[in-house]
Amino acid sequence: MSCFFFFMHINSFLITKTALISLAFAAAVGITFLVLGCALPQFNNWWPLFVLFFYILAPLPITLSKRCMNSFDTTSSACLEMAIFVTTGIVVSSMGLPVVFAHVSVIQWGACALVLAANTVVFLTILGYFYVFDSDDLDYSMW
């Protein structure tokens, strides 16, 4: 019986490790799109890098709300709802900034498309991180 639990622990570790590697690869692809939107010779404008602030700010509200939430409450809390609202505002602002830059001709529309692709990939990566590592029973000693 203990052999079964050992293999379950190893299997869980491999799934978590694979998920972590996949998320790291997706984040690298997203940042590559962002850098391409800035550094290609036809664009050559580094203003789109301001969306990096949104990448840093996006996971903070939900992370902080999980710290202040009552873990015994199974229903939705006001703290979590506010965190989701603020996170949605950050994501929408990140999608809108390159469109506004392109509209006022600060960047070209091709760079805008690459930055929007980067935003989509990076925010899906952040969402995937919260989906994979959201469980409270995560054993940190397996790292």
Side-chain angles (χ1 to χ4, degrees), residues 26-131:
V29 168
I31 298 298
T32 302
F33 280 148
L34 180 63
V35 170
L36 282 175
C38 298
L40 284 177
Q42 62 263 30
F43 305 137
N44 199 20
N45 194 342
W46 294 92
W47 283 103
L49 279 182
F50 277 111
V51 298
L52 286 174
F53 292 120
F54 295 117
Y55 296 166
I56 294 167
L57 291 176
L60 290 180
I62 293 178
T63 304
L64 294 175
S65 74
K66 289 196 182 287
R67 298 282 294 170
C68 73
M69 261 182 23
N70 185 3
S71 62
F72 300 113
D73 188 18
T74 59
T75 62
S76 181
S77 71
C79 184
L80 181 62
E81 295 295 328
M82 183 64 181
I84 292 172
F85 178 75
V86 172
T87 302
T88 303
I90 292 170
V91 171
V92 169
S93 298
S94 175
M95 294 292 185
L97 184 67
V99 173
V100 170
F101 279 166
H103 181 71
V104 296
S105 299
V106 172
I107 64 173
Q108 296 177 10
W109 284 103
C112 177
L114 283 171
V115 173
L116 289 176
N119 286 346
T120 304
V121 171
V122 168
F123 287 127
L124 286 176
T125 302
I126 292 170
L127 179 68
Y129 175 81
F130 280 116
Y131 181 73

Side-chain angles (χ1 to χ4, degrees), residues 2-52:
S2 66
C3 184
F4 174 73
F5 289 118
F6 174 75
F7 285 119
M8 288 298 291
H9 180 72
I10 294 296
N11 191 21
S12 172
F13 175 71
L14 290 177
I15 290 172
T16 306
K17 189 175 179 181
T18 304
L20 186 65
I21 291 170
S22 301
L23 289 171
F25 180 73
V29 168
I31 298 298
T32 302
F33 280 148
L34 180 63
V35 170
L36 282 175
C38 298
L40 284 177
Q42 62 263 30
F43 305 137
N44 199 20
N45 194 342
W46 294 92
W47 283 103
L49 279 182
F50 277 111
V51 298
L52 286 174

